[in-house]
Amino acid sequence: MRKQITVLETFRILFIAIFLPVILPNSVIAKITIDGKAIQFINIDPAFSKKIYPSIQDFIRITEKRSGKKLKVDTKKHGIILKKGPVPISPRIPKFVERQSFEFISKAGILTITSPSEQGIEFALYYLLSHYGNCYWFWPGQDGEHIPKAKNWQINNLNETISPSYYSRWLSGLRSEEEKLWRKRNLLASTIRIAHSIGKIYENHPIPSEWFPFNGKDYVEPNKENIKFWHPNFYSKGAATFAAKQAKAYFDKNPNHVAYSIGNNDYNSFDYSKETLRNISPIKYFRRRPVYSNPVFHFANTAAKKLAEYYPEKFLSTYAYYWCEQIPDFKLQKNIIPFLTADRAQYYDLNFEREDKKLIQEWGRSGVSFFGLYEYFESGLYIIPRLSDAPLHSIKESYRYGARAYYAELHPAWAFEGSRAWSAAALAFDTNKSLEQLEAIFYEQMFGEAAQHVKAYFDECKRMWNQQSGNAYWLKYFRNPQQIELIELGKLERHLNNAKRVSKEPITLRRIAIIEDGLKALKQFKAYYREAKLYFQERWKNTLSLVHSRRNNNLFFSRIIESSFYKKRNIQQALL
């Protein structure tokens, strides 16, 4: 029998629903409390520039979604105070890292956040949201954002100073505004810049012929056509001194910048004069390439020593790359930052893994204050997800030997990324974090009831990549269509179908749909690859019978990408 509701009871229900939250706001409405006291305001030090305001508005939006309470900006009332000033960083950390550091102090219902820079305050706000509010930005855009449903958010007894583990942290290839915002929310900062820039140092400057490299026949003068692959004679003191003076001029204009890049170009066009040949003889080989570390780092040492006369606290960054991956035969100046380049996703080759880990340890003893790790993720430049945990473990392990700068070429295809990019950013900021715990947070918060199935999907991707045989070599399978042969579509489809079957939340289904787009592209390319291989083998016959060589694989990839056969199937659009 249904109970009848009287007019008096109806009025009582409406009174509770409408008026009680107004009378007792702190007990009914979700709120933010600091040391037990509800707060409503955010107070901004006028010493900060207006560049900080977009991040503050983002913080206010997220806190409202997180707690149900919208903070108001007020220069007189206190709740959260953003203060510009010094913070007490560890004496073991270089002074320039203070600009990325921040201090939290809570007292009597007021949280004071202090940093000497706008960037430090921005990082503090996002750190507060993620570390104490469990808000995360796994992928760019709203579907990659996780903010807990509105409830009381309590912040108690905060008194700590935070500095990043890696002083510079950068994932390249992020171009959209959403991707750039993702990068900031995940506390990424390119404090130490590195580039193939040595040719540009001398571009548009008249330079003496004794700086020119000898190519075995002639002395080569730099010009517009060759500047991207031109290197000076690394034993010319004048060339190194000029580079130091260019660095000085750069720091004169940019006093807050930390490093000036003298990175060697992406070509192996070195000097072959008698002095150079004498210093590399007898020629050694590393990873099947001649070792030119002595000339490259003699130049860097000479330039760094000169720079220290002008700016003893500034650095020169360069590459330990390709022909100069090994440490030289001499100690390096402390103000050189070498970036160690390696595709550590290829640690399935155990010899390569042992060799690379040994090299990292040797660079830690080379004399430099610290060194950088340079990594290759490249999920958007491959047809398949080339996932491995090895590069992420390397962030933690290399830190023990002196790595303090991190740069990864990401160029993302988010359908193929899984948790990798987010985990890399988190580990580079705080190497005390556990990769296993980060993965658990990613899958549980992103995919809820489907977490185990989505994790199984990406674990399968890792297994497929890591089970390959053969030696590691530079960016293996890049522009090589045979990479698709590593993929077992049936297993991936089963995991994703299971994920869709158990998912009920619309946002979870949208996230799974992003991964499914990547799987569709894999299916399309695998089918196309079978067709194309037969198509071109029939027409090129003997040319493609040698498809196992890298050169012919690149030729094959280039021709199928450029062919009308490829274009009329519109596969490229699906892959992009």
Side-chain angles (χ1 to χ4, degrees):
M1 181 175 164
R2 182 177 296 176
K3 182 180 178 182
Q4 297 295 316
I5 300 177
T6 66
V7 174
L8 184 62
E9 287 174 321
T10 302
F11 178 77
R12 178 173 172 272
I13 292 168
L14 289 172
F15 178 85
I16 291 171
I18 298 172
F19 296 103
L20 193 59
V22 178
I23 297 170
L24 301 171
N26 290 341
S27 61
V28 177
I29 299 177
K31 58 184 181 292
I32 308 172
T33 62
I34 295 174
D35 297 335
K37 183 177 179 181
I39 65 164
Q40 301 180 53
F41 301 101
I42 185 166
N43 183 314
I44 307 167
D45 189 331
F48 287 120
S49 72
K50 291 185 178 179
K51 291 190 299 183
I52 201 173
Y53 277 80
S55 294
I56 292 172
Q57 292 303 321
D58 196 29
F59 177 79
I60 290 171
R61 177 192 70 82
I62 296 164
T63 53
E64 181 180 14
K65 191 173 179 181
R66 170 67 178 78
S67 67
K69 187 72 176 179
K70 185 173 183 178
L71 295 172
K72 299 175 182 178
V73 176
D74 195 300
T75 57
K76 296 180 180 179
K77 298 178 180 178
H78 294 165
I80 296 176
I81 299 175
L82 306 182
K83 178 182 175 183
K84 191 166 190 176
V87 295
I89 63 173
S90 166
R92 294 174 296 178
I93 298 175
K95 183 65 177 174
F96 70 83
V97 183
E98 185 185 7
R99 294 182 61 79
Q100 296 183 66
S101 303
F102 42 89
E103 181 184 50
F104 294 126
I105 296 179
S106 66
K107 187 177 180 180
I110 295 173
L111 175 62
T112 303
I113 305 175
T114 306
S115 181
S117 74
E118 283 81 0
Q119 184 183 62
I121 287 291
E122 289 176 328
F123 285 176
L125 294 175
Y126 290 118
Y127 183 93
L128 188 70
L129 289 167
S130 61
H131 195 75
Y132 295 103
N134 300 318
C135 301
Y136 304 108
W137 300 274
F138 298 116
W139 293 342
Q142 288 189 353
D143 286 347
E145 178 179 76
H146 170 76
I147 300 174
K149 293 181 180 178
K151 59 182 180 180
N152 289 348
W153 182 17
Q154 299 178 13
I155 301 169
N156 298 317
N157 302 318
L158 270 187
N159 190 345
E160 60 179 339
T161 300
I162 305 295
S163 295
S165 297
Y166 278 74
Y167 310 150
S168 183
R169 307 162 306 284
W170 198 247
L171 303 181
S172 69
L174 298 173
R175 293 184 172 86
S176 72
E177 291 306 311
E178 285 186 338
E179 287 177 330
K180 291 174 183 177
L181 181 57
W182 176 89
R183 185 160 53 193
K184 180 167 65 173
R185 287 167 168 173
N186 284 291
L187 315 184
L188 293 166
S190 180
T191 309
I192 298 163
R193 300 179 182 185
I194 181 66
H196 296 292
S197 54
I198 193 166
K200 292 183 179 180
I201 294 172
Y202 304 94
E203 193 173 21
N204 301 322
H205 292 281
I207 60 175
S209 58
E210 55 264 29
W211 299 4
F212 298 171
F214 182 64
N215 66 4
K217 184 179 178 181
D218 300 304
Y219 289 91
V220 181
E221 182 177 3
N223 55 52
K224 289 182 180 179
E225 285 70 35
N226 71 11
I227 199 66
K228 288 185 178 180
F229 55 85
W230 184 89
H231 294 105
N233 178 343
F234 286 128
Y235 285 99
S236 166
K237 185 176 180 180
T241 300
F242 181 81
K245 289 180 178 179
Q246 291 293 91
K248 176 187 179 297
Y250 175 81
F251 291 126
D252 288 344
K253 293 180 181 179
N254 303 279
N256 287 330
H257 288 198
V258 175
Y260 180 78
S261 174
I262 57 169
N264 43 304
N265 285 324
D266 205 6
Y267 297 87
N268 301 315
S269 55
F270 293 120
D271 172 68
Y272 297 98
S273 66
K274 288 181 180 180
E275 186 175 10
T276 296
L277 293 176
R278 184 172 66 252
N279 280 281
I280 64 170
S281 297
I283 294 179
K284 303 173 188 175
Y285 288 85
F286 181 70
R287 293 175 179 166
R288 300 179 292 280
R289 295 185 287 269
V291 175
Y292 260 66
S293 297
N294 281 351
V296 170
F297 288 102
H298 171 83
F299 172 86
N301 253 5
T302 306
K305 191 174 181 180
K306 186 66 179 177
L307 175 64
E309 296 176 9
Y310 309 123
Y311 285 107
E313 76 286 3
K314 302 294 187 183
F315 295 85
L316 296 178
S317 60
T318 189
Y319 290 111
Y321 172 68
Y322 223 59
W323 283 20
C324 55
E325 291 182 83
Q326 285 199 313
I327 63 171
D329 295 336
F330 43 82
K331 284 287 185 182
L332 291 174
Q333 295 289 313
K334 287 186 175 295
N335 57 335
I336 294 172
I337 306 171
F339 276 77
L340 282 55
T341 60
D343 184 8
R344 297 173 185 91
Q346 296 191 56
Y347 273 10
Y348 58 79
D349 179 344
L350 298 182
N351 288 329
F352 176 72
E353 179 184 12
R354 283 191 291 269
E355 180 182 75
D356 196 60
K357 288 183 175 180
K358 180 185 176 188
L359 189 64
I360 288 169
Q361 293 178 38
E362 289 174 348
W363 275 104
R365 299 189 294 266
S366 65
V368 298
S369 298
F370 58 89
F371 60 88
L373 283 187
Y374 197 101
E375 191 55 77
Y376 302 88
F377 289 168
E378 313 291 20
S379 60
L381 300 184
Y382 278 72
I383 299 164
I384 66 171
R386 54 190 305 270
L387 293 175
S388 168
D389 286 339
L392 302 177
H393 287 302
S394 186
I395 296 173
K396 291 173 66 72
E397 293 170 9
S398 301
Y399 181 84
R400 292 162 48 201
Y401 300 109
R404 294 294 185 274
Y406 187 76
Y407 189 109
E409 293 184 13
L410 178 56
H411 303 110
W414 293 102
F416 291 165
E417 268 303 311
S419 63
R420 180 176 60 180
W422 176 74
S423 296
L427 289 170
F429 192 86
D430 183 359
T431 55
N432 291 317
K433 289 184 182 293
S434 157
L435 177 57
E436 291 71 24
Q437 289 176 357
L438 289 172
E439 282 205 335
I441 291 170
F442 174 85
Y443 289 111
E444 289 168 11
Q445 305 300 346
M446 272 285 272
F447 300 101
E449 61 271 23
Q452 69 180 85
H453 301 298
V454 179
K455 184 178 186 304
Y457 176 93
F458 283 109
D459 284 347
E460 197 68 59
C461 291
K462 294 174 190 177
R463 184 193 65 78
M464 291 174 187
W465 175 259
N466 287 319
Q467 73 176 357
Q468 63 183 285
S469 58
N471 297 327
Y473 57 79
W474 203 260
L475 293 181
K476 189 175 183 180
Y477 285 116
F478 180 63
R479 294 186 63 82
N480 182 336
Q482 280 188 311
Q483 62 187 270
I484 197 66
E485 294 178 1
L486 297 175
I487 299 298
E488 302 167 53
L489 289 171
K491 293 182 178 180
L492 296 180
E493 284 184 291
R494 280 194 294 275
H495 292 310
L496 215 53
N497 286 337
N498 287 336
K500 289 193 294 182
R501 178 175 50 80
V502 301
S503 297
K504 297 179 179 62
E505 295 291 332
I507 190 169
T508 305
L509 290 169
R510 291 199 302 272
R511 290 164 174 170
I512 292 172
I514 293 171
I515 302 169
E516 193 171 26
D517 285 342
L519 182 59
K520 287 176 183 176
L522 290 174
K523 291 169 69 175
Q524 286 180 298
F525 192 84
K526 190 145 192 170
Y528 166 71
Y529 172 72
R530 293 193 196 101
E531 287 185 63
K533 194 170 182 181
L534 291 172
Y535 178 90
F536 286 113
Q537 279 179 335
E538 178 64 26
R539 283 153 182 77
W540 299 345
K541 297 189 184 301
N542 293 334
T543 305
L544 272 182
S545 65
L546 300 175
V547 76
H548 296 292
S549 76
R550 286 182 68 195
R551 180 180 178 185
N552 282 315
N553 268 324
N554 283 325
L555 175 68
F556 178 48
F557 190 87
S558 298
R559 291 194 181 181
I560 63 176
I561 291 292
E562 294 163 4
S563 70
S564 58
F565 179 88
Y566 181 89
K567 290 176 181 175
K568 73 181 181 182
R569 281 164 173 72
N570 206 28
I571 304 296
Q572 192 167 23
Q573 184 176 351
L575 291 174
L576 293 175

